[in-house]
Amino acid sequence: TDITDSSITGISSRFAINYALSLTIVTPTGAAQWVRGTSYNVKWSSTGAVGTLTLTLKKSGMADVVLSSTENNDGTYLLQGSATNSLTAGTGYTLVLTDGSTSVTSNSFVVVNPRTISSVQTSPSACVVGQACSMSFTLGGGVSSVSLVYSGMSTGVVVSSTTSNPYAWTVPGSV
């Protein structure tokens, strides 16, 4: 329509109005800490005609890992624990999500080793009431102190918290 003469009008051919393409990674956030061997949901939102996505894990100094190159734009991807188990613990991990024309990179996040306590051994191999006994153990994933307990005919606490390794104690007569 002519703004000075409303009797003059014209009709254009059909055309489309589309949303601008955009991708936003919802998780992981910059505060994320992934434990190796654990499954995680990667989540994103999108607008516009975003197509099939490629999801890539990046870390400086390491080869890029393409997690999926045919991901449907459904807003979620389940990263299996078997995939995270092969990661090296450290900082500076990011995820890149792209459809070839639009891409987004997550905030940097951390991968850590699982928290573990293993290989608890005693010396001598069988502790004797009233005698000294030593317990040694292997810690992993940032575990710094342990609680040691015994069980059998009775149950009790050897020590509620210790960082000493090995830990020496005398077996009480009341076990």
Side-chain angles (χ1 to χ4, degrees):
T1 304
D2 183 325
I3 60 169
T4 60
D5 184 352
S6 62
S7 67
I8 301 173
T9 61
I11 298 175
S12 72
S13 58
R14 299 191 108 191
F15 61 94
I17 298 175
N18 295 320
Y19 289 102
L21 298 179
S22 76
L23 287 167
T24 303
I25 295 178
V26 178
T27 59
T29 63
Q33 179 174 293
W34 283 6
V35 177
R36 290 181 52 243
T38 303
S39 297
Y40 291 94
N41 276 313
V42 175
K43 295 183 179 182
W44 66 89
S45 62
S46 65
T47 59
V50 175
T52 302
L53 299 168
T54 298
L55 183 63
T56 307
L57 181 68
K58 295 184 173 239
K59 180 174 177 15
S60 179
M62 295 177 62
D64 294 352
V65 178
V66 176
L67 301 172
S68 176
S69 60
T70 57
E71 185 60 27
N72 292 327
N73 184 20
D74 60 4
T76 187
Y77 174 78
L78 177 60
L79 181 59
Q80 298 291 336
S82 57
T84 64
N85 197 44
S86 65
L87 301 177
T88 302
T91 61
Y93 281 91
T94 59
L95 286 170
V96 177
L97 193 60
T98 184
D99 75 344
S101 62
T102 302
S103 67
V104 63
T105 301
S106 73
N107 290 325
S108 178
F109 60 95
V110 176
V111 173
V112 298
N113 290 319
R115 297 174 55 87
T116 60
I117 303 170
S118 60
S119 302
V120 177
Q121 299 174 351
T122 61
S123 178
S125 60
C127 296
V128 178
V129 171
Q131 294 184 7
C133 187
S134 178
M135 296 179 166
S136 60
F137 40 86
T138 303
L139 305 177
V143 175
S144 59
S145 66
V146 296
S147 171
L148 300 173
V149 298
Y150 62 87
S151 63
M153 304 272 293
S154 63
T155 302
V157 175
V158 174
V159 62
S160 60
S161 178
T162 185
T163 57
S164 298
N165 187 11
Y167 182 80
W169 67 301
T170 300
V171 181
S174 61
V175 289

